[in-house]
Amino acid sequence: MDAPRMNSRKFIWPPKFPKWGYQNRINFKIGMLFLLPWTIGFIVFTLYPMVASLIYSFTIYHARQPLEWNGIKNYTDLLTDDLFWTALYNTIYMVIIGVPLTLFSSFFCAVLLNLKVRGQAYYRLIYFLPSIVPTVASTILWLWILNPQAGILNILLGYVGIDGPNWMTNPAWSKPGLILLGMWGMGNTIVIYLSGLQDVPTSLIEAAELDGANWWQRLWNITIPMVSPITLFNLVTGVIFMFQYFAQAYVFRGFQNLGYPLNSTLFYSVLLYQNAFQWLKLGYASAMAWVLFIIILVCTLALLKISDRFTYYAG
Amino acid sequence: MTINTEIQISNEATEARQRMRNRKVRNFFQSFFSHALINFVGLFFLVPFLWMLITAFKSNQDIFHTPPRWLPYDNVLAEINGEQLPMYNVQTEKGVKQLAAVKILEGVGTFVDPSNPSQVLEYEIQQGDKKIAEPIMHISFRWQNFPDAMNRASRPSIDASFWVYFKNSLIIAFFTIVGTLVSNTPVAYAFARLKFPGRDVLFVIVLATMMLPYQVTMIPLYLFFNNFLHWGDTFLPIIVPAFFANAYDVFLLRQFFRTIPEEMCDAARVDGASEWQIFTQLVIPLSTPVLATVTVFTFLWAWNDFTGPLLFLTSPKHFTMALGLQDFQSQRTLVWNQLMAAATIFTIPIVVAFFFAQKTFIQGIKLTGSKE
Amino acid sequence: MNKKLFTSLIILVIISMLLTACSGKAAEPEVLRVWIQWGDNPQQIQTLFDKYTAETGIKVEVTAPLEVDKILPALTGSEPPDVLVLSGGDLVKSYYKEGLVDDLTGAVQSGKIDLTDFFEAPLDQCKMGDKLLCLPWGTDMYALFWNKDLFEAAGLDPETPPATMEQLAEFSDKLTKVAADGSLEQIGFLPDMGWDHSDLYINMYDGFWYNEDGTKMTANSQPVVDALTWQQQFYTKYGVDNVMSFSSGWADTYMSADYPFYTGKLAMYVDGEWMTGPNFISAFKPEASYGVAPFPPPADHPERANTAVVQGTVAVIPSGAANKEASAKLLAWMMSPAVVAEEFCFNANLPTSKKAAEDPCFTNNPKFKVFTDLISSPNAKIIVTTPISLEFNDAWGLVIEQVLHTGMDPKPVLDELQATFEPKLAEANK
């Protein structure tokens, strides 16, 4: 057998796979057998639809007639479509305001829940319970809470002298209303942060205490960096989720038009659904889907790249 | 000891006591402040919950009462001739009397004096701005809202009621759990413990699919299920994909399987066990905690699922609870009390599941957020 | 041994899947499906169709009401219903353009439907050239409803509704109550209560979005601008925010006792004839004391009195329906005078069949008579529809929101609407 050649970095084409020995072939067969559910699923439910939707995105869909090829016109039409930009704006609003706000609040709550006070178990329960209320139920509940006349939020605000806005009919306040709804259900993010906080070595904290650091300095210099991987995780998942925001917006508008009021709740996914199932422009909607995919991909990669400088991995 | 040191010691002692008292005071304030803050923030989480429950008990007339009351009020009823009739304060010529309303039609009410049931009196309910007859209310929890909500469908329809929706949700959740457990475990095991060429490349692909938004596959899948397979309006488009593994559960299970000591599997291999035997007889029994987690999470996800049913279920008798609730709310028959009652019932199974599986819940969430 | 366990598990899984599949799609022969977009009383509708089952032995499954976004997917899918009843005929031309509904000329012949029995106005909305795209099944007309108690309280004669649109605005002022802090306690008139009634108002100004035969777009013509300006005053006079705040969530309570017309928060508004029947006011608020009258004309055009827009629910046969013969027969049965009389007597809708209109139940209710008079008035108008109605209606909804709910100036908004849709209409009519 030749000694391995360390300087053979030439690019070999066509790529030669190493010859599989008998054991490798057996292992491969067994592996594939175990993977069968995923493989079939991948081909039928992932690969085929991806290819199909890519093709659709270049066509105009007709119900009982063959597909009509449209080239890249679907994509260029998107650029001139006012609704597309409105939807993009609304979605980015939620991503830029909703996600960081939720992250910050859940971290704050996790810190609260990590304090040494009696009855923590009960508090943790209370903070977590809303996150398991089913989405539709919590959205409808918040519709009731945000009702400008009889809703309890405006009533409570009234007690402290604030004139509550029309959460559901004023386009400027519908998205904040949805953000509040999202924050009510951030229990699982709190729990993830909480477990991260508990993993922060107490020795570090105590050492800082002895050195005379007050609680703010401890928080800023030790705790926050130590949980930065969790922050990154929550941030990325939050962003990906927010770009696909659909169910809450769909339920929130009641029986009014999608996007009510005044297209302020017309999020990207909602517009996509509208194009696909209300106007039957399936080709156009497919183009929207691929644009969304690319946006999410770019944002995630960008986040991961930037995060390298801010996250600290302990060991 | 000299007097000076004694004084010094006693001074130090006083100072120490003073410091301790200061610290106690500071601790007390810190503790009080922490408690207050936690409680205040906790109200944000708690009050909507309570409000949901309280509204579920309100009577129809009470929902929009201004200013809104915390406790539910309902009509005071009187039994006359075997019927329960609501009592009203009626302004008659002889002053305000309490009468029971037999029938109200087009603004005119037919009343009966409980002390004299045979005499029937008619009064207009409202004359201009003046209310002649007003119902008498008292604090009462209207439990009837719950059966009313459940027996009603989101539309007063045929073969459909929230009981049916509840059943449908259970069916879908059950099969989804079965499919998830059956399909994800072998896949995860393959990635965790089997060595075969291309394993890591494939795993990267599996993870990559997590990044794919469902919108990309939604439209072709919709056409595929509806037009090609004719599975429209059945549970199949929602259940069948669960039998073909998904990236999240594969990831979760793989993380767990990797914690099972390699030596145990190797020992079994040396003993001549096939991979399948190792998997079913060794790994699975050891994995009950994570399987419980996956079960609980899958139940939560399937119970909650809205988009799937929205796309594929069209007849009300096939609706799930999530779809039914949304449909109820969008049908212009917004009876908030029944809606809240239905929402409460929708939430109860999850809360119950949570209480039984608290540890697995929390553990699972931590696993998903684990740094590995 | 474990291989057997595995295989048996797989078989169990497959069997359970097949069971769910089969139970969901029990291929019963001879079940016709009727989908109805509205659903005041679906139980009653099913009972009605059970009569068809009694006559012919074919089971009929009614689904009502429908979500708007289930209709198009159903029509384009592989299993549309056998008969579809839509709340309005304005989208039928759009559907026909996409090849989703059939021309009913053949069905009329095979089902022996008597077209002369239909009132002209509702039937006209279904005609496109020499094609018949739908058949009207029940007609709706709209009129002015007012709360007599609130009239009395404001010092107005409860039996006398406003006689002109200007007087309506005056009455509304007297009937609107503003609290000390500027918020509203009672609204006199809300032009878009429930849903948009611009079609009525624009017709009162003698115009519409399209010209009479649907070939030209007139979205920014003077009647449309006037109608929007007239509507806008009810929002802007008391502050758009105040009105929006007070009236938010109102439309959600349409079919419940909390409807603002019942609770004394709204004094006047425009609604349809079904309100006078058993399913609405009598059901939800029997103690309401209310009046109905034709919507008044503008003061300087009294000749436009009794203008009302004929809107109707229409029945179509989807082009993907499985058994067109059976659909045609069912449709014919639905259109027969006896069935029309029964269904619309019960639900208090206007019958589309002349013979059915002779049934005493329609003439006995004095409030209902207001509507029967309107349908035979010479000023009864139909809604002009075009193949782009689907998209246009959504865009119009946005215009209403902008003009009424945020107080924008109607002229530029309408100009933009015209600019967007004029080419689309030209394209669609080619």
Side-chain angles (χ1 to χ4, degrees):
Chain A
M1 223 157 63
D2 285 329
R5 293 187 294 189
M6 299 301 284
N7 51 357
S8 55
R9 289 265 190 231
K10 287 195 301 239
F11 184 67
I12 308 174
W13 187 266
K16 290 198 181 65
F17 289 107
K19 236 174 178 301
W20 283 355
Y22 173 71
Q23 188 56 39
N24 265 345
R25 279 207 294 274
I26 297 266
N27 282 350
F28 188 71
K29 278 203 198 108
I30 298 180
M32 279 300 127
L33 220 57
F34 270 79
L35 286 185
L36 204 58
W38 180 82
T39 326
I40 300 180
F42 179 70
I43 296 177
V44 176
F45 298 120
T46 307
L47 206 56
Y48 155 70
M50 274 178 79
V51 172
S53 78
L54 191 58
I55 296 181
Y56 284 148
S57 72
F58 294 112
T59 67
I60 300 182
Y61 180 81
H62 290 291
R64 303 202 183 285
Q65 299 145 42
L67 287 176
E68 181 188 328
W69 187 256
N70 205 19
I72 58 166
K73 192 155 182 302
N74 281 343
Y75 288 94
T76 50
D77 280 344
L78 273 178
L79 294 177
T80 53
D81 188 356
D82 278 337
L83 291 177
F84 170 76
W85 292 109
T86 310
L88 205 55
Y89 164 76
N90 286 333
T91 312
I92 292 184
Y93 178 110
M94 294 295 273
V95 168
I96 293 192
I97 299 186
V99 175
L101 200 60
T102 311
L103 273 190
F104 175 74
S105 319
S106 48
F107 178 72
F108 175 70
C109 289
V111 166
L112 280 184
L113 290 178
N114 204 26
L115 293 175
K116 292 178 192 39
V117 291
R118 276 180 317 191
Q120 266 310 6
Y122 294 107
Y123 291 124
R124 289 177 189 172
L125 187 68
I126 291 178
Y127 282 45
F128 182 70
L129 221 43
S131 70
I132 60 174
V133 174
T135 315
V136 178
S138 59
T139 311
I140 292 180
L141 172 62
W142 272 86
L143 269 175
W144 177 228
I145 292 178
L146 295 174
N147 189 312
Q149 294 299 308
I152 193 165
L153 181 58
N154 277 1
I155 300 205
L156 290 178
L157 287 177
Y159 286 159
V160 287
I162 304 177
D163 200 10
N166 297 341
W167 295 96
M168 283 134 44
T169 52
N170 188 335
W173 288 98
S174 52
K175 285 192 282 288
L178 284 173
I179 293 181
L180 275 179
L181 161 65
M183 281 169 60
W184 190 61
M186 63 184 172
N188 46 353
T189 317
I190 298 180
V191 164
I192 296 181
Y193 260 131
L194 192 58
S195 71
L197 284 178
Q198 288 167 344
D199 278 347
V200 175
T202 40
S203 50
L204 269 179
I205 309 258
E206 279 164 13
E209 236 174 28
L210 284 173
D211 278 348
N214 62 22
W215 67 271
W216 169 251
Q217 287 167 326
R218 290 201 300 270
L219 194 70
W220 185 252
N221 293 320
I222 299 182
T223 317
I224 292 186
M226 289 296 283
V227 298
S228 53
I230 296 188
T231 306
L232 177 66
F233 174 79
N234 282 336
L235 187 63
V236 171
T237 45
V239 164
I240 293 181
F241 166 75
M242 208 46 108
F243 269 114
Q244 302 176 34
Y245 197 67
F246 175 74
Q248 289 90 331
Y250 187 92
V251 178
F252 197 67
R253 50 110 194 182
F255 70 89
Q256 305 278 8
N257 292 336
L258 283 175
Y260 186 82
L262 230 63
N263 283 345
S264 59
T265 60
L266 190 71
F267 298 104
Y268 198 90
S269 226
V270 176
L271 181 62
L272 209 158
Y273 177 86
Q274 197 171 27
N275 268 304
F277 296 106
Q278 276 190 359
W279 301 332
L280 224 64
K281 293 160 75 175
L282 291 181
Y284 194 66
S286 300
M288 281 188 77
W290 275 90
V291 170
L292 180 69
F293 183 27
I294 296 181
I295 294 180
I296 293 183
L297 213 54
V298 165
C299 281
T300 312
L301 291 176
L303 270 175
L304 289 175
K305 205 107 189 105
I306 309 175
S307 71
D308 265 347
R309 276 197 293 141
F310 292 106
T311 50
Y312 168 79
Y313 292 94
Chain B
M1 269 200 281
T2 63
I3 303 246
N4 277 342
T5 35
E6 273 178 18
I7 299 179
Q8 219 178 4
I9 290 173
S10 82
N11 278 345
E12 280 173 9
T14 341
E15 273 177 35
R17 266 199 297 273
Q18 187 68 31
R19 271 200 300 272
M20 213 157 60
R21 231 174 297 149
N22 283 344
R23 192 150 17 108
K24 275 217 186 97
V25 169
R26 204 178 52 225
N27 279 352
F28 171 72
F29 271 117
Q30 263 179 2
S31 163
F32 177 72
F33 183 64
S34 315
H35 263 291
L37 199 57
I38 296 184
N39 272 309
F40 184 66
V41 174
L43 282 180
F44 170 67
F45 292 101
L46 188 61
V47 167
F49 234 104
L50 289 181
W51 192 243
M52 176 168 84
L53 288 174
I54 293 206
T55 308
F57 282 110
K58 287 196 174 175
S59 67
N60 288 345
Q61 307 87 311
D62 197 32
I63 304 174
F64 281 100
H65 189 268
T66 40
R69 296 182 283 213
W70 275 100
L71 290 172
Y73 280 74
D74 200 354
N75 283 331
V76 172
L77 299 171
E79 172 140 1
I80 296 183
N81 290 340
E83 265 183 70
Q84 294 278 8
L85 300 173
M87 297 291 294
Y88 277 72
N89 276 329
V90 184
Q91 288 177 22
T92 66
E93 308 83 42
K94 309 192 196 101
V96 177
K97 287 175 77 170
Q98 296 195 341
L99 303 174
V102 175
K103 185 179 75 159
I104 300 181
L105 192 59
E106 288 242 3
V108 174
T110 318
F111 294 97
V112 159
D113 192 336
S115 53
N116 191 356
S118 51
Q119 191 189 26
V120 169
L121 310 151
E122 272 196 15
Y123 291 98
E124 241 184 280
I125 302 287
Q126 189 174 347
Q127 262 172 9
D129 214 5
K130 214 164 50 133
K131 275 201 163 45
I132 309 279
E134 277 202 71
I136 309 177
M137 313 281 263
H138 65 174
I139 293 180
S140 163
F141 282 78
R142 196 160 188 275
W143 290 90
Q144 188 59 26
N145 281 339
F146 285 87
D148 276 350
M150 288 306 283
N151 286 325
R152 172 196 190 123
S154 54
R155 38 187 84 162
S157 193
I158 321 95
D159 288 346
S161 71
F162 272 100
W163 289 120
V164 173
Y165 301 162
F166 196 84
K167 179 192 80 167
N168 292 338
S169 284
L170 278 179
I171 294 178
I172 290 185
F174 172 73
F175 282 106
T176 309
I177 292 176
V178 166
T180 306
L181 287 176
V182 161
S183 64
N184 281 299
T185 37
V187 174
Y189 177 69
F191 283 123
R193 279 287 173 255
L194 291 184
K195 294 180 194 37
F196 57 92
R199 180 185 75 171
D200 294 325
V201 171
L202 276 176
F203 189 58
V204 169
I205 296 182
V206 172
L207 289 187
T209 59
M210 275 207 261
M211 290 265 299
L212 192 68
Y214 71 88
Q215 287 86 345
V216 171
T217 54
M218 167 174 90
I219 293 173
L221 278 179
Y222 173 79
L223 292 173
F224 175 64
F225 281 127
N226 259 352
N227 297 348
F228 184 67
L229 288 176
H230 297 281
W231 280 359
D233 203 27
T234 65
F235 299 148
L236 291 172
I238 306 174
I239 295 178
V240 166
F243 284 81
F244 291 95
N246 71 82
Y248 295 94
D249 291 314
V250 165
F251 181 68
L252 191 75
L253 287 167
R254 173 193 180 263
Q255 300 299 80
F256 182 85
F257 286 158
R258 295 222 320 184
T259 63
I260 295 183
E262 186 94 56
E263 303 80 52
M264 287 176 62
C265 303
D266 282 341
R269 280 194 199 109
V270 162
D271 280 349
S274 77
E275 287 299 342
W276 184 253
Q277 282 170 327
I278 301 178
F279 173 59
T280 48
Q281 292 179 329
L282 195 58
V283 175
I284 297 276
L286 286 178
S287 313
T288 31
V290 76
L291 292 181
T293 306
V294 168
T295 306
V296 167
F297 273 174
T298 310
F299 178 68
L300 181 57
W301 180 87
W303 192 254
N304 204 0
D305 188 22
F306 174 69
T307 315
L310 178 69
L311 283 182
F312 294 111
L313 300 174
T314 47
S315 324
K317 63 179 178 200
H318 292 144
F319 280 179
T320 59
M321 201 99 193
L323 199 55
L325 250 186
Q326 183 268 341
D327 196 48
F328 190 1
Q329 170 244 10
S330 73
Q331 286 302 321
R332 291 174 174 252
T333 57
L334 219 43
V335 260
W336 284 107
N337 50 355
Q338 286 188 13
L339 196 53
M340 289 297 122
T344 310
I345 297 187
F346 185 34
T347 312
I348 285 178
I350 303 280
V351 174
V352 164
F354 171 70
F355 274 107
F356 275 114
Q358 260 187 67
K359 283 217 186 76
T360 40
F361 242 103
I362 308 289
Q363 204 60 37
I365 295 181
K366 288 185 190 166
L367 259 177
T368 52
S370 80
K371 291 179 262 199
E372 250 192 301
Chain C
M1 197 275 272
N2 284 309
K3 277 231 159 50
K4 280 212 205 104
L5 191 61
F6 182 53
T7 33
S8 45
L9 195 63
I10 293 288
I11 292 176
L12 187 68
V13 163
I14 294 181
I15 290 181
S16 57
M17 278 167 55
L18 285 173
L19 275 176
T20 38
C22 287
S23 62
K25 300 208 63 65
E28 284 163 32
E30 297 288 67
V31 175
L32 292 180
R33 287 170 307 129
V34 175
W35 283 18
I36 303 183
Q37 191 175 353
W38 46 267
D40 302 349
N41 197 330
Q43 224 76 45
Q44 178 269 336
I45 302 180
Q46 179 69 64
T47 324
L48 179 77
F49 278 92
D50 286 341
K51 296 205 172 131
Y52 187 72
T53 314
E55 281 177 33
T56 60
I58 302 177
K59 195 166 172 330
V60 179
E61 212 178 76
V62 175
T63 304
L66 290 177
E67 281 271 1
V68 134
D69 33 303
K70 293 290 184 210
I71 297 179
L72 209 44
L75 284 176
T76 56
S78 56
E79 272 155 26
D82 300 286
V83 173
L84 176 63
V85 180
L86 300 165
S87 285
D90 39 353
L91 298 180
V92 177
K93 294 207 175 97
S94 302
Y95 294 155
Y96 185 74
K97 170 167 152 265
E98 285 287 319
L100 301 176
V101 294
D102 276 346
D103 179 7
L104 292 178
T105 330
V108 164
Q109 278 169 352
S110 71
K112 300 205 200 14
I113 302 177
D114 178 14
L115 286 180
T116 58
D117 187 35
F118 287 92
F119 283 107
E120 284 79 35
L123 190 62
D124 275 344
Q125 67 181 323
C126 286
K127 292 192 181 148
M128 190 167 95
D130 53 355
K131 299 203 226 309
L132 189 63
L133 303 180
C134 56
L135 282 176
W137 202 52
T139 292
D140 299 324
M141 306 276 298
Y142 290 84
L144 184 68
F145 283 72
W146 76 90
N147 184 324
K148 288 188 178 168
D149 288 326
L150 293 183
F151 263 55
E152 248 191 277
L156 299 161
D157 178 11
E159 303 300 324
T160 310
T164 66
M165 286 169 81
E166 288 76 5
Q167 202 178 48
L168 203 159
E170 278 171 35
F171 279 30
S172 167
D173 274 340
K174 296 207 182 97
L175 291 160
T176 307
K177 286 201 194 145
V178 185
D181 59 357
S183 67
L184 289 165
E185 290 177 346
Q186 184 176 306
I187 291 187
F189 177 74
L190 206 61
D192 60 341
M193 181 69 227
W195 52 88
D196 173 45
H197 296 292
S198 295
D199 47 5
L200 175 62
Y201 307 135
I202 304 178
N203 268 305
M204 271 301 176
Y205 282 104
D206 199 25
F208 202 57
W209 304 312
Y210 312 104
N211 68 347
E212 274 181 16
D213 52 6
T215 52
K216 273 221 301 273
M217 196 84 223
T218 54
N220 59 352
S221 56
Q222 196 55 39
V224 183
V225 177
D226 287 340
L228 282 185
T229 315
W230 181 82
Q231 291 187 62
Q232 198 181 46
Q233 67 179 305
F234 296 101
Y235 275 88
T236 49
K237 207 181 287 187
Y238 300 100
V240 170
D241 276 338
N242 289 331
V243 177
M244 288 304 292
S245 159
F246 188 56
S247 67
S248 78
W250 274 6
D252 286 337
T253 56
Y254 189 67
M255 289 176 71
S256 78
D258 292 317
Y259 198 49
F261 188 64
Y262 307 152
T263 57
K265 295 205 177 115
L266 179 65
M268 301 185 282
Y269 81 115
V270 172
D271 211 337
E273 78 286 348
W274 58 84
M275 293 296 281
T276 63
N279 293 333
F280 286 86
I281 302 188
S282 316
F284 294 119
K285 190 82 173 183
E287 53 261 38
S289 180
Y290 71 99
V292 187
F295 192 79
D300 47 356
H301 286 279
E303 75 278 8
R304 293 188 200 147
N306 294 326
T307 299
V309 184
V310 176
Q311 306 206 30
T313 66
V314 295
V316 296
I317 296 186
S319 57
N323 185 341
K324 300 283 176 71
E325 276 282 326
S327 295
K329 286 213 185 72
L330 182 57
L331 194 63
W333 178 84
M334 281 166 67
M335 297 295 151
S336 59
V339 175
V340 171
E342 178 174 340
E343 171 64 20
F344 299 111
C345 260
F346 186 89
N347 281 307
N349 293 126
L350 292 164
T352 32
S353 148
K354 289 183 186 146
K355 287 208 196 73
E358 293 162 10
D359 191 304
C361 77
F362 295 116
T363 46
N364 282 349
N365 183 342
K367 294 201 164 79
F368 192 80
K369 192 166 182 310
V370 171
F371 297 95
T372 46
D373 289 342
L374 278 176
I375 198 177
S376 38
S377 133
N379 278 338
K381 307 254 161 97
I382 57 165
I383 294 201
V384 180
T385 64
T386 64
I388 59 163
S389 288
L390 188 60
E391 265 189 84
F392 180 81
N393 287 358
D394 280 324
W396 179 257
L398 195 60
V399 165
I400 286 286
E401 273 199 77
Q402 287 171 311
V403 172
L404 296 186
H405 296 176
T406 61
M408 278 173 78
D409 183 5
K411 195 86 182 59
V413 177
L414 288 173
D415 285 335
E416 218 188 296
L417 190 68
Q418 173 79 8
T420 315
F421 281 93
E422 197 165 20
K424 290 195 188 181
L425 183 62
E427 170 87 29
N429 273 336
K430 271 206 288 244

